Structure formats: structure tokens, C-alpha cells
Amino acid sequence: MNGVVDRVASLGRIGLDVIAAIGRSGIFLFQALAGRSRYGNGFSLLVKQLYALGVLSLAIIIVSGIFIGMVLALQGYNILKDYGSEQAVGQMVALTLLRELGPVVTALLFAGRAGSALTAEIGLMKATEQLSSLEMIGVDPLKYIIAPRLWAGFIAMPLLALIFCVVGIWGGAMVAVDWLGVYSGSYWANMQNSVQFGADVLNGLIKAVVFAAVVTWIAVFQGYDCEPTSEGISRATTRTVVYASLAVLGLDFILTALMF
Amino acid sequence: MRTRTLELTVGLFILAGLLALLILALRVSGLTLSTNGDTYTVYAHFDNVSGLTSRSKVTMAGVTIGQVKRITFDKNRYTGLVEMAINSDVDTLPADSTASIVTAGLLGEKYIGISVGGDDLVLGDGDEIVDTQSALVLEELIGRFLLNTVSKDD
Amino acid sequence: MLETDDFIVDLQQVTFRRGERVIFNNVDIRIPRGKITGIMGPSGCGKTTLLRLIGAQLRPENGRILVNGQNIPELGREELFSARQHMGMLFQSGALFTDLNVFENVAFPLRVHTKLPEDMIRDIVLLKLQAVGLRGAIELMPDELSGGMKRRVALARAIALDPELMMYDEPFVGQDPISMGVLVRLIRLLNDALGLTSIVVSHDLAETASIADYLYVVGDGQVLGHGRPDDLMNSDNPRIRQFMQGEPDGPVPFHFPAPDYVDDLLQKERRR
């Protein structure tokens, strides 16, 4: 009997902890983004982070994009062939990438590549008292360290998703047109006829923006909120990847239900 | 010097992203920058518009001359009212032209094909194509075909 | 006891708790201006917490913390960050920014808080590095420095903006005798040359006693005693004496609180 009560109580405590963490992260986000950075070199800080989060993630995004586009074309071709409509493969590749795989896979890769690095970097700064020492120098680490990283994530990830889609569609064309022999005219024409800029491209972009915000937010907060020990950092890094992935997949369902 | 290269790479990255958006807009979704402005509107009533969507193309002799802007239901005539935007350089469509909804291939997308008439009057902005031919509905076709076979057997 | 009544920091009835544990219970500490004040006490008694309270990185549950007459816990975020510009803190680990070299680390506070031209910044940085004897290390990255050098660079960074109040968090921990001597000398030198007020938090008795003008001994969430180093050495308070003489057992027990030893052993037997 007592055991049951204990378990319920601990469940309640976990629930309260979770709600408190959400509240903390919300306040954290607000404090980081509210108001403008007073530090004159805000722009160069942003550029540095854009490089770290965007440019350095480019390689993995491009390679994955090409392969996913190629696989989509191959699978699509094999299925559509049975219905004699293999010229629709371009349309299938493009729609799949723009609506789903582009934003989702980019977000997952971004969480793994850039998100984990963000968490570890900020966690390490916390553990080595660099954040405290910024505070004591009279610099708000939320503005100086956190804000540029948040903005860089918000900007870089949607761009990466766009690049991912284009590269994927090109990879699909490579397989479908150059290898499987789908007529290139119908590959592109079918695509152009069925893909709508507003409904598909822009909605995909909106998804990417939402995912970017969530993934970056989680990564940065986990770093900032982590226990400042080597164990704490490694746990926070794992949490970033797990939470970010789950959040992306869950939100994807909600956004898809709303959009399409 | 190092910040300079940093800025350059980041600049290139952002440009690449924007270029990707441009490619998605123009090459993938076939968004043409000059859809508005130089078109005029023509209406047509169809008994059945199933399969036709806005942005479907409007062709004549196989050449695209415009696109469907809007499809609404005409509650007085119980028909579908299709609003088409025709490129304004195609300004010599005879008033008695026929508009029909045709299918690209057996299962392909629907579009409007216009066959030329013989009238001296030409269609202008806001005019209506009276002579229309509705979408081919596969089920009806099969039904009619079956009916024919059955009645032949009698 | 002190001839001055000009205090730069004044803690009045400060209570601070971490979870259930009371770190400070109604503590009053006053730091005289222009002097070096040592805060001493056994490990884990909250000496570092005290510095963080003064720097407002932590907020007390109760009490006022006046720095230059301003009640620090009540300041808004903006005021607080400007108040901190008058404080310097030397962290235990040094806390240099690992992605910046020595020069940029020292220049950092100047770059964020001033609009000085580049050659002026360079002059100031060189001056500060000269003061800590590391002008030659200007191009090195933090991971190329030894622990003692890191701490000296951090010291140069902490005094870059000429603070009024310098706080040292365990400056002598993990230093070899030579760099320890260097640090002791530097703290004294900077305090007198720049007219600073210094707070040295430490449990290294000899070094702290040798430079401090005034000492506070804290423990058990209380101020156990305060006074000049010589007076404290000869204190008749047993807790202070235990700490100052370094006796292993006394009012501060050798054993962490535990159930009775014999009972504990017997209980294990019974469970088996």
C-alpha cells in the first residue's frame, strides 16, 4: 500500500519537475531573446555561430539529401512502374521531400550534428565557470552566448532544409532520369504541375522554421541547464538528441494534420 | 583576415539557401513570375468539373495558353463555373470556341482544352465560353459500356 | 575592532539555503574598503557561495547585501550587470574563454564595456599582462598555459576594467609553492597599487593569514569569529582554534554524522 502511494507521489514529483523545466526553459528563451544585444559585436557573434551551425552542417546535409533523393526515386520507380505511371516519380520525390523528409530529416540531422555540439559547448562553458565569469565581467551570458546561438539555429536550419530538398530532388533526377530512363521532360513537368509553391514549398519551409526553433531551443537550454560535471554534460547531450528528435516527430504530425 | 573568410563562407551559405528556395519556386513548383498582369479572364460552365483544380493548365492545340484561376459552384444552374486566365497575347479566340475538360493519359491530370470555332467575334475579358464538354468520368464510361454490352445480348 | 567604518560590502542578516541545507544562517559580514579580507573556513562551508552572493549570481533567502550602498539582490538585471562592472572575480579554474587567446581574453571586458580605440586597448592589455608577468604569453591559447599561468591571465582579465572590488575564489588551490608565492605577492601588490578592496576566500591558512588585513572564519552557517590574523590565532574559541591550528578532531568532528557504529554493525548482522 505504502509502495503504491510512494510511486504515485514520485510520479507527481516527476510531473512537477517536468512542468518546472518547461517553465524554466520558457523564461530562459524569453530572457535570451527579449531586447536587443547591447554588445556592439553582436553581428560578428551571429556570423561565427552561423558558420558553426550552418556551414559546418552543410556536408552531412548535402550527402544525406542526395542519398535520400536517390532512394526515393528508386523506391518510387519500382512501385509506380506497376501502375505504368513511372513518369510521376519526379512528382513523388519532390512532394515527399518538400512536405516531409526535407524538414524532418534536416531537423534530425541538425539535432545530431549541431544540437549536440551546442549542448556540449555550452555545458562545458558552464562547467569551466566561463558563464559565471562572463556574468561577473558584467556581460549577460544569455545575451552574449545564448542569443546568437539561438538566432543562428533559427536561420541556419531552414536554409539547410531548403538545400536538402534541392539536392534531394536533383539526386532523384539523377537516378530516375539518368539511370532508370524516365524521360526528363516528364520528370520535371509532372513535378511542376503537382507541386504548388504556397501549399508545398512554403508549408515545408514553415515546418523547417518551427523545427529549427524547437531543436535549437532544446539544445541550448539543455546546455545551459545541465549539471556542470562531465557526466552532466554527457547526459544533457543525449537528452538534447532524444528530446529534439521526439519533439520534431511529434510536431511534424501536428503540423501535417494542420497543413495538408 | 580570418573573420573575413568566415563572413564570406557564411555569406555563401546564406546565398546557397536562398538560391535553393529560388530553385524550388521556379524549377520545382513551376511558379512563373509573370502569371498576373497580362492575362484576361474567360468563364465557362461545365456540368462536371471533377479532377480539375485551380492552376490546371488551359491549352489550345496542345500549347498552354493560360491556367484555371478558380472553380466555383453556380447555384442557379447547378453547374461548375470555371474562371480561366488566358494570356493576353492570345486575343483571337473565336466566341464560339469549345472548352472541354480532357485528361493527360488514362489516369493523368485534368486540364482544359479549347478547340477553335468559326465566329468572327473574339472572346474578351469577362466573356463566357458557352459550348463546353464536361470531364470524362471513368466510372460513368464503364457503366455505359457495360449497359451497352448487356443490351446487345438481349 | 577595526579603525575604519567605511565598508564596501555589508552583509546584514543573510540567510541562504541550498535545498534543505542551511548554508548561511543570519550572517553579518562587513568588508572594509581598501583592505584585504580573508574568508576562511573548512571545505564545503559556503565560502564560494558567499562570493556568489556578493556577485548576485545567487540570491539570499533573507537579508540585505549592500555593495557600495546598493542592495544587490534587489537590483534589476540591467543595473546588476552594470554593478558587476565594478567587481572582479578570480575563479578557481581561471575560467578563461577557451576560444580566445590570452590577449583577447584580457581585452574582452574592454571590448564589451568600452568603446576604446584598438591601440588603447592594446596598451591596457599589455599593462595588465605586464602586471601579472605574462606579457610574453600574449599569443598563447588558454590550453597552452599551466594552471598557475591561467590563473594569472584570469587575474589580468579581472582587473582589466579597474574594479573597486576583487574577489578571489580559492586562489591558492592546486598551485606549486612558486606560483603560490607569485599569487600571494600579486594579490598584495594589486590591492595596494590599484587601491582595490580584496576578498580572498581560502582554506590555505598560512598564505591567507600572511596577506589578509582582516579575517573572517565561517563554519556551520555562522561567522565563528573575526579579527586580525594574530588575534584569531590566539583565540580562545575552540572551533576557531581547531581550524587555525589544523587539529583533525575537535568541535568539528572527524566523523560525518552517522548512526552509532556498533548499532550499524549489529543491524547488518541481523539483516543477514
Side-chain angles (χ1 to χ4, degrees):
Chain A
M1 187 57 212
N2 231 340
V4 176
V5 173
D6 278 356
R7 228 162 280 166
V8 172
S10 77
L11 208 65
R13 217 170 297 128
I14 292 172
L16 289 180
D17 282 351
V18 169
I19 293 172
I22 292 173
R24 244 192 350 266
S25 64
I27 295 169
F28 163 83
L29 186 69
F30 175 77
Q31 285 184 337
L33 298 183
R36 285 208 46 216
S37 163
R38 290 177 314 292
Y39 312 112
N41 47 358
F43 180 72
S44 75
L45 289 174
L46 181 65
V47 169
K48 216 171 176 180
Q49 291 311 317
L50 276 174
Y51 180 81
L53 299 182
V55 178
L56 293 185
S57 306
L58 212 49
I60 189 176
I61 290 294
I62 289 178
V63 172
S64 325
I66 290 180
F67 277 111
I68 285 186
M70 286 178 11
V71 167
L72 276 178
L74 204 53
Q75 290 279 17
Y77 180 83
N78 284 330
I79 295 169
L80 291 172
K81 195 177 58 181
D82 294 347
Y83 303 95
S85 36
E86 58 265 34
Q87 66 277 57
V89 71
Q91 155 186 1
M92 200 209 75
V93 169
L95 286 180
T96 318
L97 278 173
L98 289 171
R99 289 182 176 182
E100 286 299 328
L101 292 186
V104 171
V105 175
T106 307
L108 295 181
L109 291 172
F110 187 77
R113 165 67 187 74
S116 58
L118 267 183
T119 307
E121 187 193 15
I122 295 171
L124 205 64
M125 282 186 178
K126 187 176 181 183
T128 55
E129 295 177 310
Q130 291 183 50
L131 295 185
S132 293
S133 109
L134 271 176
E135 278 185 10
M136 288 310 298
I137 289 173
V139 172
D140 188 348
L142 286 178
K143 294 269 188 300
Y144 189 81
I145 298 286
I146 304 297
R149 283 167 174 74
L150 282 171
W151 285 118
F154 296 169
I155 296 170
M157 211 217 88
L159 293 175
L160 289 172
L162 290 171
I163 294 172
F164 185 93
C165 289
V166 168
V167 170
I169 288 167
W170 177 70
M174 230 165 45
V175 167
V177 175
D178 300 338
W179 184 26
L180 298 173
V182 174
Y183 175 55
S184 109
S186 39
Y187 184 89
W188 294 108
N190 261 315
M191 193 187 293
Q192 289 178 1
N193 281 332
S194 56
V195 175
Q196 295 189 4
F197 184 73
D200 299 316
V201 178
L202 285 189
N203 273 346
L205 190 60
I206 290 172
K207 270 189 179 181
V209 170
V210 173
F211 296 162
V214 170
V215 170
T216 321
W217 180 18
I218 290 178
V220 168
F221 177 70
Q222 286 298 341
Y224 191 77
D225 200 49
C226 82
E227 205 183 303
T229 60
S230 38
E231 247 174 77
I233 294 171
S234 83
R235 248 181 289 139
T237 312
T238 312
R239 271 206 300 269
T240 291
V241 177
V242 173
Y243 291 175
S245 308
L246 289 179
V248 164
L249 296 173
L251 273 174
D252 183 47
F253 176 75
I254 296 172
L255 287 176
T256 306
L258 289 177
M259 284 172 174
F260 298 108
Chain B
M1 194 57 212
R2 255 192 74 235
T3 36
R4 184 102 190 116
T5 32
L6 196 77
E7 281 169 5
L8 281 175
T9 18
V10 171
L12 284 178
F13 166 64
I14 291 177
L15 282 182
L18 296 180
L19 186 72
L21 183 62
L22 201 68
I23 291 175
L24 290 181
L26 299 182
R27 183 94 171 105
V28 174
S29 62
L31 195 73
T32 41
L33 297 173
S34 55
T35 40
N36 298 331
D38 46 355
T39 60
Y40 63 98
T41 308
V42 171
Y43 296 92
H45 283 92
F46 290 95
D47 292 339
N48 191 333
V49 292
S50 77
L52 198 70
T53 58
S54 57
R55 284 178 38 79
S56 291
K57 59 186 175 181
V58 178
T59 67
M60 179 166 234
V63 181
T64 304
I65 57 165
Q67 65 173 358
V68 174
K69 250 164 96 182
R70 203 156 47 136
I71 301 173
T72 47
F73 178 65
D74 186 336
K75 60 180 178 186
N76 297 321
R77 290 169 60 175
Y78 303 105
T79 54
L81 176 61
V82 175
E83 191 181 326
M84 290 172 273
I86 308 290
N87 296 345
S88 45
D89 48 341
V90 188
D91 52 0
T92 52
L93 291 180
D96 62 344
S97 297
T98 313
S100 42
I101 297 178
V102 279
T103 312
L106 189 58
L107 295 168
E109 27 125 19
K110 298 277 204 296
Y111 62 96
I112 293 182
I114 298 181
S115 340
V116 71
D119 208 321
D120 287 340
L121 288 169
V122 292
L123 289 167
D125 189 37
D127 285 352
E128 188 188 337
I129 299 179
V130 185
D131 195 2
T132 62
Q133 209 169 15
S134 287
L136 200 69
V137 179
L138 205 60
E139 292 90 330
E140 275 178 21
L141 206 68
I142 294 170
R144 221 179 300 156
F145 173 71
L146 286 177
L147 209 65
N148 275 348
T149 353
V150 170
S151 45
K152 244 180 242 166
D153 283 353
D154 281 346
Chain C
M1 257 200 262
L2 262 184
E3 56 273 27
T4 176
D5 51 355
D6 183 13
F7 297 105
I8 186 164
V9 179
D10 193 349
L11 278 76
Q12 299 172 346
Q13 274 135 36
V14 170
T15 301
F16 180 79
R17 245 180 254 271
R18 190 163 267 159
E20 298 290 298
R21 236 183 96 212
V22 180
I23 309 276
F24 290 116
N25 190 10
N26 258 341
V27 164
D28 292 282
I29 292 178
R30 301 205 279 187
I31 310 289
R33 193 184 294 276
K35 300 277 197 282
I36 299 180
T37 305
I39 312 274
M40 313 203 53
S43 306
C45 73
K47 301 186 298 291
T48 306
T49 308
L50 180 72
L51 294 189
R52 292 187 183 251
L53 282 170
I54 296 173
Q57 296 187 305
L58 296 172
R59 263 154 218 262
E61 200 175 281
N62 255 320
R64 282 146 49 90
I65 299 174
L66 301 177
V67 177
N68 270 332
Q70 277 182 306
N71 189 12
I72 287 287
E74 276 178 4
L75 295 184
R77 233 183 145 71
E78 301 286 318
E79 296 166 296
L80 185 61
F81 277 106
S82 67
R84 280 183 183 148
Q85 291 178 35
H86 303 291
M87 305 181 194
M89 169 113 99
L90 183 66
F91 287 86
Q92 239 179 85
S93 60
L96 294 178
F97 303 128
T98 40
D99 55 337
L100 302 177
N101 67 15
V102 168
F103 180 88
E104 287 300 324
N105 258 290
V106 180
F108 180 84
L110 299 167
R111 291 203 199 283
V112 252
H113 287 308
T114 68
K115 292 200 164 30
L116 294 176
E118 189 57 34
D119 50 344
M120 196 109 107
I121 287 182
R122 192 180 153 76
D123 289 349
I124 297 176
V125 171
L126 288 179
L127 188 77
K128 304 291 175 184
L129 280 172
Q130 175 74 12
V132 299
L134 286 176
R135 196 165 43 81
I138 218 165
E139 292 294 336
L140 296 181
M141 294 302 284
D143 50 9
E144 297 170 299
L145 301 174
S146 74
M149 285 160 82
K150 266 186 208 164
R151 223 164 279 188
R152 276 149 74 188
V153 174
L155 183 53
R157 184 181 66 185
I159 57 170
L161 282 175
D162 293 323
E164 293 171 62
L165 177 66
M166 261 308 294
M167 295 183 269
Y168 301 88
D169 185 8
E170 300 282 6
F172 310 121
V173 164
Q175 300 289 313
D176 60 74
I178 300 175
S179 43
M180 191 117 90
V182 169
L183 277 167
V184 169
R185 221 179 56 118
L186 269 177
I187 293 174
R188 183 82 249 176
L189 199 75
L190 291 174
N191 192 76
D192 298 347
L194 301 176
L196 303 175
T197 305
S198 309
I199 306 176
V200 181
V201 152
S202 175
H203 53 241
D204 286 282
L205 198 69
E207 286 73 24
T208 315
S210 72
I211 49 167
D213 299 308
Y214 202 75
L215 277 184
Y216 273 86
V217 180
V218 292
D220 277 349
Q222 304 278 347
V223 175
L224 297 177
H226 54 99
R228 294 166 189 289
D230 303 341
D231 301 340
L232 282 182
M233 276 293 187
N234 307 319
S235 166
D236 38 3
N237 182 332
R239 300 218 37 181
I240 298 179
R241 213 171 41 229
Q242 188 199 353
F243 184 78
M244 298 297 275
Q245 320 277 341
E247 292 157 4
D249 207 353
V252 177
F254 170 71
H255 291 289
F256 192 79
D260 188 75
Y261 190 39
V262 178
D263 281 358
D264 223 6
L265 288 175
L266 285 178
Q267 209 169 21
K268 274 233 173 100
E269 290 293 309
R270 238 174 273 138
R271 217 178 280 157
R272 212 174 277 167

